[in-house]
Amino acid sequence: MVDFLFNHPIGILILTVVKTLALLVPLLIGVAYMTYAERKIMAAMQMRKGPNVVGPFGLLQPFADAIKMLMKETIVPTGASRVLFLFAPMLTFMLAMIAWAVIPVNDGWAIADINVGILYLFAISSLGVYGVIIAGWASNSKYAFLGAMRSAAQMVSYEVSMGFVIVTVLLCVGSLNLTEIVRAQQTVWFAIPLFPMFVIFFISTLAETNRAPFDLPEGESELVAGFFVEYSSMSFALFFLGEYANMILMSSLTVILFLGGWLPPIDIAPFNWIPGPIWFIAKICLCLFTFVWVRATFPRYRYDQLMRLGWKVFLPFSLVWLVLTAAVLKLTGWLPA
Amino acid sequence: MIAALAFYVFAAILIASAVMVVTSRNPVYSVLFLILAFFNAAGLFLLAGAEFLAMILVIVYVGAVAVLFLFVVMMLDIDFTQLREGFQRYAPIGAIIGAILLIELLMVVTTWRFAPEAMTLRLNPMPAGVTNAEALGRILYTDYIYLFQACGLILLVAMIGAIVLTLRERPGTRRQNVGEQIARSGSVALRSVPQGAGLKVIGIERPPSPEEAKPKEVEYHGHGGHH
């Protein structure tokens, strides 16, 4: 049986499907409860109650929302490009899911532990912009198109500094493999020696996922709902799910690059009793809480300030820090072989 | 078996989408098919064992270059009838150029010979026990370092050229200087107001509120308006 699962092609296929389900089902439940958690946390921060009617403490609210979405009618505008209009939300959702193939939840617990894991993640996250652009263009609506254009410019701008941050981390690791990146943080998490990069990376992930204070693509005060203004029912829900899954993905990327993945903060008795995946999930939750916290705290950026921050502040700073890190590693001889 | 099947699937979709790039009427669809072609090319790289190149192809071409293409093409206001106007007039010239290119390609393909060293290299292009990225880096930053730096310089020149072409000083615009704004004190100041205290308690007088504006005398009220 074990031999069949690990060596026969069909066995490997079955095993991969089971692994994928074991990852995606908890992920989707997590996405559903992320929406609930966001509403509850924001409510607490604004001295409201938040959802509290459906089920105890409103815990069944995500399911009520999902069923409501399923029951609604899918509306495709007359002027829309039909195929692309329906394809865009699927693409957003698909990209948010396939990226999880390489995320190591524990040592060796990745569906595909590939050599270029970090590049794969970077590639997938840079594709996210297509869902937005295609949706904006296919809707054939001014608001949607303006939102899409903003998003395209914004996501491309912040990817550049994100790339430099990732390169800085890779310099300290010497490998593109995500598992290796976490293992390299056994002595110290990269958030401590590379603290400025950690901050830049976190802010860039906010921009990359179109979250407040960088949610200009969907800025409701001027663009109604931005690129998904024309969407309804499940196609809207797919965008929504994709956005939240992307938030969780970006948080896990932050955790892997800077917060030591599945590693406990200190490798001593009470901490290393707790299994790795619990640490991993706890750290992701911490990042997600910060996402919501930022949204409840900061007003939206003005568009030119957003571009200024990306190109004139983050880009030069991360470039200088990259050179600095390389120089320090070279001079101290800490450069990994 | 599976690898061969995957190769033919990727190759077929690649060629089909490349044809669609040229023949599709809407330029936006052309760019989208171009992206599909990039993806399949990345798939072919993966099959050849060049996973680093595959990922870089997706990151650079799909993630950045094609986004800008799409961006520009969507912003263009293209008149399709005008595009097709000169088709008959230019068709012969196009056909001649196409034929010349085809003949050249055929000449290259039929006379192509692999050097004997290349044949052995092709079977085993990478040193064993080294990842893809590392193998590329070892060659790129040692044997080809000058060419690599020259590429960088060319890109730099292109970038400066693009900036020079598009940069223009517009008179009359007032740029925001964030540093100056933050350093400014006096005219704008933050105050910490104790909770529950009115502004009067901490010594800030509000300007007297203007007289309540009298509602305009309207003679005819029409249909009653809003309530």
Side-chain angles (χ1 to χ4, degrees):
Chain A
M1 183 66 198
V2 174
D3 187 54
F4 170 75
L5 277 182
F6 283 96
N7 292 321
H8 197 271
I10 298 172
I12 294 172
L13 189 70
I14 294 172
L15 194 67
T16 312
V17 170
V18 170
K19 275 187 199 167
T20 313
L21 284 178
L23 184 74
L24 286 192
V25 172
L27 173 67
L28 285 177
I29 294 173
V31 168
Y33 275 96
M34 180 63 216
T35 62
Y36 171 79
E38 177 170 39
R39 290 166 73 178
K40 272 290 190 194
I41 295 169
M42 296 247 308
M45 285 174 179
Q46 295 164 352
M47 295 192 201
R48 295 183 285 116
K49 279 203 165 122
N52 62 349
V53 177
V54 192
F57 308 106
L59 274 172
L60 296 179
Q61 186 71 44
F63 295 100
D65 289 340
I67 293 166
K68 186 189 85 174
M69 291 284 189
L70 272 173
M71 294 296 151
K72 292 209 167 187
E73 184 192 353
T74 306
I75 299 164
V76 180
T78 337
S81 163
R82 211 182 156 78
V83 177
L84 286 182
F85 185 81
L86 294 176
F87 174 66
M90 290 183 212
L91 180 73
T92 304
F93 185 69
M94 231 156 54
L95 289 174
M97 296 289 122
I98 60 171
W100 283 87
V102 294
I103 299 280
V105 183
N106 198 354
D107 205 345
W109 282 25
I111 295 174
D113 194 12
I114 57 174
N115 277 335
V116 286
I118 188 73
L119 287 182
Y120 173 82
L121 270 185
F122 195 55
I124 298 294
S125 75
S126 67
L127 294 182
V129 66
Y130 282 109
V132 175
I133 303 187
I134 293 174
W137 185 77
S139 300
N140 201 6
S141 145
K142 285 186 185 66
Y143 291 127
F145 190 60
L146 283 172
M149 288 292 114
R150 281 182 178 190
S151 171
Q154 172 182 331
M155 287 169 106
V156 170
S157 311
Y158 279 83
E159 236 156 54
V160 185
S161 50
M162 250 174 100
F164 280 124
V165 174
I166 290 176
V167 172
T168 313
V169 172
L170 292 182
L171 267 181
C172 304
V173 180
S175 167
L176 297 170
N177 183 308
L178 290 172
T179 312
E180 290 298 322
I181 292 175
V182 176
R183 280 190 197 140
Q185 302 180 52
Q186 229 131 27
T187 42
V188 63
W189 296 357
F190 287 145
I192 296 165
L194 301 176
F195 185 72
M197 291 283 104
F198 173 54
V199 174
I200 286 184
F201 189 79
F202 182 74
I203 297 173
S204 300
T205 57
L206 288 179
E208 193 73 6
T209 49
N210 289 331
R211 289 284 300 181
F214 306 110
D215 56 346
L216 288 121
E218 47 189 278
E220 50 278 276
S221 52
E222 60 251 53
L223 294 180
V224 194
F227 60 90
F228 54 69
V229 66
E230 302 290 347
Y231 283 86
S232 62
S233 86
M234 269 324 274
S235 51
F236 171 77
L238 283 182
F239 267 126
F240 210 72
L241 289 175
E243 185 188 326
Y244 279 80
N246 259 332
M247 274 166 63
I248 303 181
L249 176 73
M250 283 297 166
S251 302
S252 68
L253 188 55
T254 315
V255 169
I256 288 170
L257 287 178
F258 290 104
L259 297 176
W262 61 80
L263 298 170
I266 320 163
D267 200 11
I268 49 169
F271 293 110
N272 56 19
W273 288 345
I274 301 168
I278 307 268
W279 277 121
F280 190 67
I281 292 169
K283 288 173 192 172
I284 289 182
C285 288
L286 182 74
C287 282
L288 287 173
F289 176 78
T290 322
F291 265 73
V292 177
W293 190 11
V294 166
R295 180 175 170 194
T297 311
F298 292 110
R300 187 174 294 139
Y301 253 63
R302 211 173 62 200
Y303 194 70
D304 60 319
Q305 289 173 335
L306 172 107
M307 284 295 156
R308 181 185 161 274
L309 185 71
W311 288 107
K312 290 190 179 172
V313 181
F314 282 0
L315 181 61
F317 190 85
S318 54
L319 193 58
V320 167
W321 196 270
L322 170 66
V323 174
L324 209 66
T325 312
V328 166
L329 285 177
K330 184 75 190 164
L331 290 179
T332 53
W334 290 339
L335 203 64
Chain B
M1 213 313 256
I2 294 174
L5 190 72
F7 172 79
Y8 285 115
V9 169
F10 281 136
I13 300 177
L14 173 60
I15 292 174
S17 50
V19 170
M20 288 304 288
V21 173
V22 186
T23 54
S24 140
R25 295 204 167 163
N26 192 330
V28 173
Y29 288 124
S30 285
V31 179
L32 291 176
F33 276 115
L34 184 66
I35 293 162
L36 187 62
F38 282 143
F39 262 113
N40 286 287
L44 289 178
F45 270 132
L46 273 185
L47 285 178
E51 69 255 22
F52 181 76
L53 282 183
M55 291 304 152
I56 291 296
L57 182 72
V58 174
I59 292 173
V60 174
Y61 282 92
V62 183
V65 174
V67 172
L68 297 180
F69 266 18
L70 202 59
F71 198 96
V72 171
V73 166
M74 281 178 177
M75 303 281 266
L76 289 180
D77 192 20
I78 297 172
D79 187 1
F80 296 108
T81 49
Q82 203 184 359
L83 263 182
R84 258 173 268 138
E85 238 171 27
F87 183 75
Q88 299 229 315
R89 198 149 54 100
Y90 297 121
I93 305 170
I96 291 167
I97 294 174
I100 292 171
L101 282 176
L102 186 68
I103 292 165
E104 282 179 350
L105 266 177
L106 282 176
M107 281 162 73
V108 168
V109 168
T110 48
T111 57
W112 184 278
R113 294 278 181 279
F114 278 111
E117 299 90 354
M119 279 310 270
T120 53
L121 261 182
R122 196 177 63 147
L123 295 176
N124 194 6
M126 267 210 316
V130 174
T131 62
N132 227 287
E134 209 178 322
L136 263 179
R138 278 187 190 172
I139 290 182
L140 207 58
Y141 298 122
T142 52
D143 299 351
Y144 296 102
I145 182 69
Y146 295 118
L147 290 177
F148 181 76
Q149 294 289 342
C151 286
L153 275 181
I154 292 170
L155 282 176
L156 181 69
V157 169
M159 191 177 86
I160 293 172
I163 293 173
V164 168
L165 282 178
T166 51
L167 185 74
R168 51 192 167 136
E169 284 287 328
R170 288 197 207 92
T173 53
R174 304 211 302 185
R175 289 197 169 262
Q176 183 184 22
N177 187 342
V178 174
E180 204 172 79
Q181 280 182 340
I182 292 173
R184 180 172 59 189
S185 64
S187 62
V188 179
L190 285 178
R191 266 167 192 270
S192 160
V193 180
Q195 238 174 14
L199 287 176
K200 259 182 198 160
V201 179
I202 55 169
I204 296 176
E205 285 287 342
R206 276 197 184 183
S209 53
E211 290 275 307
E212 280 278 311
K214 277 180 189 169
K216 269 185 193 163
E217 292 288 328
V218 183
E219 282 175 12
Y220 177 58
H221 286 276
H223 303 292
H226 301 287
H227 292 283

